[in-house]
Amino acid sequence: MCNSKNVELVKSLGADRVIDYTQEDFTKGSETYDIVFDAVGKHSFSRSRGSLKPGGAYVATDGFRNLFLALWTSRIGDKKALFPIPPHYTKKNVLFLKELIETGKYRAVIDRRYPLEDVVEATRYVETQQKTGNVVLTIR
């Protein structure tokens, strides 16, 4: 899911289907998903819950906002809010990512690069919520 300006980028990354959130609200359709992974904190578990298949999971990466939900949903219902803090980096997962990178099946999207001394400017740009991909700090 992305905005109109990023549809082609997301397709180029290998997405089978791309939802332009400026044109369609995935929570209003009848399609359901095994996982809703909210990488930028734009949706909530309560909003996404109806779009999850039975046993499905909502995974948030937006800090502590969903911690209570993760604790609560682990005890009731068949749809869970997961809170990956701390992140789970297993040797198996790291080797899998290494393989994806080496075979060209993973491509990082870098929006902008800033020298380390411009960290404040980089942070301001990230906080605009207009970035596409990653913002990188470079060290000379």
Side-chain angles (χ1 to χ4, degrees):
M1 188 165 65
C2 62
N3 63 20
S4 301
K5 76 174 187 161
N6 293 321
V7 168
E8 292 307 314
L9 169 66
V10 173
K11 285 181 182 178
S12 79
L13 294 172
D16 295 325
R17 179 168 178 253
V18 180
I19 299 171
D20 177 349
Y21 65 74
T22 66
Q23 304 295 318
E24 178 183 352
D25 181 350
F26 82 97
T27 65
K28 302 290 187 213
S30 60
E31 191 167 353
T32 55
Y33 307 92
D34 295 312
I35 296 173
V36 172
F37 180 77
D38 186 359
V40 294
K42 296 265 183 185
H43 294 281
S44 65
F45 173 71
S46 59
R47 181 173 175 213
S48 303
R49 192 165 118 190
S51 298
L52 289 169
K53 291 181 179 177
Y58 167 82
V59 181
T61 61
D62 61 345
F64 294 103
R65 187 176 83 173
N66 289 289
L67 180 59
F68 173 74
L69 284 173
L71 296 171
W72 182 65
T73 63
S74 67
R75 291 172 174 36
I76 63 163
D78 65 346
K79 297 175 184 178
K80 309 290 181 215
L82 302 179
F83 189 74
I85 302 293
H88 304 290
Y89 298 116
T90 64
K91 182 177 181 179
K92 179 181 173 185
N93 289 344
V94 171
L95 290 174
F96 175 68
L97 288 173
K98 177 181 181 274
E99 179 184 331
L100 291 176
I101 292 166
E102 291 175 347
T103 59
K105 293 179 181 174
Y106 172 83
R107 178 171 59 102
V109 176
I110 298 174
D111 184 325
R112 295 184 183 182
R113 290 177 171 83
Y114 291 87
L116 183 58
E117 56 269 17
D118 292 340
V119 66
V120 173
E121 184 180 338
T123 302
R124 283 187 186 127
Y125 177 64
V126 169
E127 288 174 346
T128 68
Q129 297 185 354
Q130 298 302 309
K131 72 179 185 71
T132 299
N134 298 290
V135 172
V136 176
L137 294 174
T138 57
I139 301 172
R140 292 184 188 156

